Amino acid sequence: MTKQTLSFQAEVAQLLHLVTHSLYSNKEIFLRELISNASDACDKLRFEAINDGGLYENDSELKVKVSFDKDAKTLTITDNGIGMSTQEAIDHLGTIAKSGTKDFVSKLSGDQKADSQLIGQFGVGFYSGFIVADKITVESRRAGMKAEEGVRWISGGAGDFEVENITRAERGTSVTLHLRDDAMDYASAWKVKGIINKYSDHISLPILMEKEEWKDGELINPSDEQGGRQPGAMVKTGEWETVNKANAIWARAKKDITADEYTEFYKQISHDFEAPLAHTHNRVEGSTEYTQLLYIPGKAPMDLYNREKSAGVKLYVKRVFIMDDAEALLPTYLRFVKGVVDSSDLPLNVSRELLQESRDVKAIREGCTKRVLGMLEDLAKNDKLPEVTTSAEGVTDVVSEEDKAEAAANAGKFTKFYNEFGAVLKEGLGEDYANKDRIAKLLRFASSTTDTVSVSFADYKARMKEGQEAIYYITADNAAAAKNSPQLEVFKKKGIEVLLMTDRVDEWALNYLQDFDGTPLQSVAKGAVDLGKLQDETEKKAAEEAAETFKPMLAKLKEALKDKAEDVRVTTRLVDSPACLVVQDHGMSTQLARMLKQAGQAAPDVKPVLEVNAEHPLVKKLDGSVHFNDLAHILFDQALLAEGGLPADPAAYVKRVNALLV
Ligand code: ADP
Ligand code: MG
């Protein structure tokens, strides 16, 4: 094959532009990305070699070498991993395969500041080399292929790249960065080692650099030892030394790992720029043995709500990398968790299908779920700064500076977590029956008396009115609609708190939670209101009487609205509004039905019940009105509008209102 010039896929060109223009304040991440690719390539080789030992070509000591040449202004990262064929080089280094990255690129705004924030959530991967290089040369040969089947790939990082066929005896890949003038400090052992320590210590592969030693300069006057010397310099010795710890971090003892090391490992596997909120690291022994190192990120990825999205846990078997995104290791509602599980009980050739069925995996999944919920419980417990209490004798709690600092560091983390991932956690109510109660305790809501999303079911219960027998909630499209809903009127009047549920997933999830800690949950928009002991006898009596005297009118209303309403009845739940819509006790709410329809899904036609406020002037006016029919329809349509819906025939509604206004 002769030399070919090919264009980058449009998204790559865009990404490259962003990389070179907005990541200058984070230059050094390029080394982390390239070393991580080298390490991935070695992992892949090790994995393929399980079935085909020949791929090692008698060289099974996998490693990465980093070298630089000051005069040539280059920095080279070489691995003896799986390598790339020509086609693979074209495909992998010229296009973006991962849909996540593609979505990301499509969301770029062109505003550099905003974009570079966004990019923090993504690995820019190989292309990050162009932060420091104005040209990159990749030479590679795939394991198992002939020496003549090597490939050279060159690009200046603009619109195109060149590929040609070369002969390359060594298996694996070398990536040579031709450093920009302002990036020449990366051609220094000291600088490079520092970055490797920071980002890649925990990579289980040895990273080698050529040893240097100090050499004095020549004597200025060879006959005079005292006459001084030319400046000395560090020179390469030809000997290579391992510069990282080369020990999988999760396999090390907890006590030997610093907080920074945990954070850096997280950044490496998640490509996040920010530190995680929490981690848990355990060796689990027993009938299934494994090690878990799991993290809770502080920021949601953009594709969080895609349940098909890859999971974030990598599976290793006895230190051998098996697969990324092993979704069988955690339930879907915990898909935001990042980390590693290393099992010694699974076979090396385990497939995704096998994972789904394995009993060991089931045990691992349960163990990981418990740990993650435990982490979240800890975050929740420490979300608020502890109050300093002073006893009656005037003795104030003594809190050490250390404890204070720790409390300050942990405060607010759960709130941050919940803002990012709360809606996903709720899916667990339906998905994870066994842990339903633990999940329910972690949920937070806004309420009719608290604007922030901070009320737990337990908080709510602690504030329940005497005689109150249920936890009341309302579902709506947004907080304003929930808060101003007519259904809340009687609760406001009686000073009863109502939880506001405005996440799309709420109604679905709440279906799976009948009660919390023995107290039933009750939607205020479903069924008849029964405030039980909260309603006094006179109120009950008045309601019954109203229902009786209204009977003939209800029949007329029912007849007029027979196509729209399942039933019409008098209610006590309204104070200021003339009417509202409710659904039968176990029916689907009108919001949910509306949402499903908007999403193009099949939803039953929910015929709601119209409830009218017998005390309201508009309702009183109905009796004997010549406009009875129009008023009836207006009443219904307004009730629909009040909960964020639209009349089935908006034009007819407008016409009716206008006719009355005139
Ligand atoms: P990612 O590593 O997330 O897949 P990158 O942009 O870092 O994305 O790399 C793109 C692809 O290029 C890799 O998935 C891999 O197929 C290929 N690649 C990059 N570096 C190497 C390497 N050193 N050896 C073999 N393949 C590589
Ligand atoms: Mg990569």
Short mmCIF file of all heavy atoms in Angstrom, two decimals, residues 36 236 263 316:
data_model
loop_
_atom_site.label_atom_id
_atom_site.label_comp_id
_atom_site.label_asym_id
_atom_site.label_seq_id
_atom_site.Cartn_x
_atom_site.Cartn_y
_atom_site.Cartn_z
N SER A 36 -2.90 5.56 29.29
CA SER A 36 -4.07 4.72 29.51
C SER A 36 -4.39 3.92 28.24
O SER A 36 -4.78 2.75 28.31
CB SER A 36 -5.23 5.57 30.03
OG SER A 36 -6.37 5.41 29.27
N LYS A 236 21.66 10.28 29.34
CA LYS A 236 21.00 8.97 29.41
C LYS A 236 22.02 7.87 29.56
O LYS A 236 23.12 7.95 29.02
CB LYS A 236 20.16 8.78 28.15
CG LYS A 236 19.11 9.87 28.04
CD LYS A 236 18.00 9.50 27.10
CE LYS A 236 16.90 10.52 27.28
NZ LYS A 236 16.40 11.02 26.01
N THR A 263 -8.17 9.36 44.38
CA THR A 263 -8.77 10.36 43.49
C THR A 263 -8.20 10.27 42.08
O THR A 263 -8.94 10.30 41.10
CB THR A 263 -8.54 11.77 44.06
OG1 THR A 263 -9.16 11.83 45.34
CG2 THR A 263 -9.14 12.83 43.16
N TYR A 316 -12.32 -7.18 36.20
CA TYR A 316 -11.04 -7.86 36.07
C TYR A 316 -11.20 -9.24 36.67
O TYR A 316 -11.99 -9.44 37.60
CB TYR A 316 -9.93 -7.13 36.85
CG TYR A 316 -9.42 -5.88 36.17
CD1 TYR A 316 -10.21 -4.73 36.11
CD2 TYR A 316 -8.15 -5.85 35.61
CE1 TYR A 316 -9.74 -3.59 35.49
CE2 TYR A 316 -7.67 -4.70 34.99
CZ TYR A 316 -8.46 -3.58 34.94
OH TYR A 316 -7.99 -2.45 34.33
#
